[in-house]
Amino acid sequence: MGDFFKGLFGGQKPIASEPSTDDDFADFPSAPSPTPIYKPSSDSSSVPTAASFPEHETLPTGAAEIPYTKWYRVWERASPRDFYAEAMIIPFIFVLAALHIWGRGKNKRKADVWIAAHAPSLESQFASVGFDKRKRLADNEGDFSGLLKMKTAQEYVTYATGRQNVAFIDLKVKLLKRYNPLTLVLETVLSFLFETIRPPKEVMEATIYAFDGKEKDLVPVKSKAELDAKDSRFKGLPNSGFDACVWAIVHKEQMKGLRDERYDVSLTATKDHKNLPQWASVMSETAEVTETLLNNDLVEAVGKAGDAFEYLIVTDQPVDKPLKLNEATPRKRVILSLRLPSSTHPSAYEPTMPIFDFFLKMPDHLVATAHFRGEVTRKIRATREEESKKLKKAGEGEKAEERRLEAEKKKKEIRDTRLKGLSAEEQRKFLEREREKGQKKQEKKMSRKA
């Protein structure tokens, strides 16, 4: 009772209540203490230091590595070690770009030297050379670089027309990929490891397409007057046709690859000739063709060319093996392939100029001499007829297979249409009968095999 009155009149201080242990309310963190804000001085060049931040003995977190500066003061926020990767990549890019520019320029200079050495021969044999509106070479005043057209950085092409017995000639100059040294090295290494991959080389390939007596069909006309003039112009010309054959002089190093790559050459037999150098061989369908086409001028030109000579081919068959009968249509051509010298001086082409000049006149030689005896012609024709029969038989087999598939497709459509019109029970019986028939057929096959 006494305690009650003491507490009522303040005789004893109240006992502090214990903190609540109610888990229904979360304990919120207290407000963070204020941090000093850095105010730069009037001098814009000053960099914050520890003295700029009161109540702190050190700079804020990370301030020692990346100090506060103006946005354009990169040198105050970065060091040379931050650009080690760029220091390695950028010079590599500059080296590749320099090699690319040098390689394209080197190929361009080499192609220009080639056309400068061969342009006089082309002018003497053709009325028009190049793609530029059929301008004559005499109008170029010694500058022949415009006669070549860059197809790719490693291939240059040109064209000539306007000659008796020749419809036109295509010339290709294929060079090394100097502009891409990584690819060039890779191709060279792979050619050493695999026989199927040929090493990169620089060659000139020229193809003459003969008229073969079809001047009226191949020369274009724009009006009836031009047609009449063309008929009168070609009426007095001698016949430009010659007998079909496949004949070639090949460097022995190129022989195996040539047989694998060209279908027309695979129809021939290989024999050495006493007049040719030891490194060259003849590929012909018959011996009489060789005796007719091979003359002393050609033998001398091949000998002067030496290792730069790859092959000279007279053919009427396609390069790739035909898969259909219409792909085996004869088209008479003369093909020459020569290696390019490493030197970029025009005099380096002097050894190959005799064979190139003879190649340009080869259609005249064929028109004059390539008319064989009936026995030889029949033998050559028999080879082509045999190949045509194979293609015809293969085509008939494909057509028979197509007819069989079409019949099966129609049969399946009829069966599906009939099955849709049946009830569920009738469909079940129909499928059971089909299954039984299939099992019986399979049993008959097994018994026949046994």
Side-chain angles (χ1 to χ4, degrees), residues 47-348:
V47 179
T49 61
S52 303
F53 294 88
E55 300 181 6
H56 287 272
E57 297 180 356
T58 60
L59 293 173
T61 304
E65 291 79 7
I66 308 176
Y68 175 85
T69 61
K70 290 291 186 180
W71 62 270
Y72 58 83
R73 294 178 176 269
V74 180
W75 60 88
E76 294 180 356
R77 300 192 303 271
S79 61
R81 65 180 180 181
D82 297 329
F83 300 96
Y84 284 165
E86 289 80 356
M88 298 177 64
I89 295 173
I90 292 176
F92 182 72
I93 293 175
F94 275 112
V95 169
L96 287 182
L99 288 175
H100 183 83
I101 296 172
W102 173 83
R104 290 175 66 97
K106 177 72 172 179
N107 285 353
K108 180 69 167 60
R109 290 191 297 272
K110 198 159 190 176
D112 291 343
V113 171
W114 181 89
I115 192 62
H118 294 79
S121 297
L122 292 171
E123 183 186 25
S124 64
Q125 295 294 326
F126 293 92
S128 174
V129 181
F131 300 94
D132 190 10
K133 298 181 180 180
R134 300 190 175 187
K135 291 183 178 179
R136 289 185 55 83
L137 298 180
D139 302 333
N140 295 331
E141 298 180 356
D143 183 15
F144 308 120
S145 59
L147 300 178
L148 280 175
K149 182 179 180 181
M150 186 178 71
K151 189 175 182 181
T152 62
Q154 69 171 127
E155 184 176 348
Y156 290 79
V157 297
T158 189
Y159 164 89
T161 187
R163 188 189 188 280
Q164 186 178 358
N165 301 326
V166 177
F168 59 92
I169 177 175
D170 283 334
L171 299 106
K172 299 179 182 179
V173 179
K174 298 181 179 179
L175 305 169
L176 296 176
K177 295 181 180 179
R178 293 183 176 88
Y179 57 91
N180 193 344
L182 297 179
T183 304
L184 181 60
V185 172
L186 180 61
E187 291 178 353
T188 305
V189 172
L190 291 177
S191 65
F192 280 108
L193 299 177
F194 303 98
E195 294 183 357
T196 55
I197 300 177
R198 285 197 169 191
K201 58 183 179 179
E202 295 184 316
V203 296
M204 184 281 303
E205 292 184 359
T207 304
I208 290 177
Y209 293 85
F211 270 128
D212 192 28
K214 301 177 182 178
E215 288 87 347
K216 294 182 180 180
D217 300 329
L218 297 177
V219 176
V221 292
K222 297 181 180 179
S223 62
K224 188 176 183 303
E226 290 185 1
L227 180 62
D228 297 337
K230 184 178 72 171
D231 292 339
S232 60
R233 185 174 61 207
F234 290 135
K235 187 177 294 184
L237 293 178
N239 186 14
S240 60
F242 55 91
D243 292 343
C245 65
V246 178
W247 180 80
I249 301 177
V250 185
H251 197 292
K252 290 183 178 179
E253 292 181 357
Q254 308 294 327
M255 192 176 301
K256 184 179 182 302
L258 207 61
R259 280 191 177 277
D260 296 337
E261 295 175 359
R262 298 186 64 99
Y263 162 77
D264 50 1
V265 175
S266 65
L267 302 176
T268 63
T270 305
K271 290 184 179 180
D272 292 337
H273 197 277
K274 60 182 180 180
N275 295 335
L276 289 174
Q278 294 182 354
W279 46 263
S281 185
V282 175
M283 305 178 77
S284 177
E285 293 183 89
T286 63
E288 184 172 332
V289 174
T290 302
E291 298 302 324
T292 303
L293 300 183
L294 189 63
N295 58 16
N296 294 331
D297 294 339
L298 180 55
V299 171
E300 185 179 354
V302 171
K304 288 182 178 179
D307 290 337
F309 176 82
E310 285 197 337
Y311 55 80
L312 173 67
I313 301 175
V314 179
T315 180
D316 68 319
Q317 295 297 300
V319 176
D320 300 324
K321 186 175 182 179
L323 302 177
K324 297 181 180 179
L325 196 59
N326 57 356
E327 296 178 359
T329 304
R331 192 173 186 181
K332 296 175 182 177
R333 310 178 305 282
V334 185
I335 305 164
L336 175 67
S337 178
L338 298 173
R339 283 179 175 270
L340 300 183
S342 57
S343 175
T344 56
H345 196 273
S347 60

Side-chain angles (χ1 to χ4, degrees), residues 412-424 426-431 434:
K412 187 176 182 300
E413 290 176 355
I414 295 172
R415 174 219 180 241
D416 293 341
T417 304
R418 181 183 176 188
L419 194 61
K420 288 179 182 178
L422 300 178
S423 62
E426 291 174 341
Q427 287 181 2
R428 185 183 63 80
K429 292 180 181 180
F430 182 83
L431 294 175
E434 275 192 346

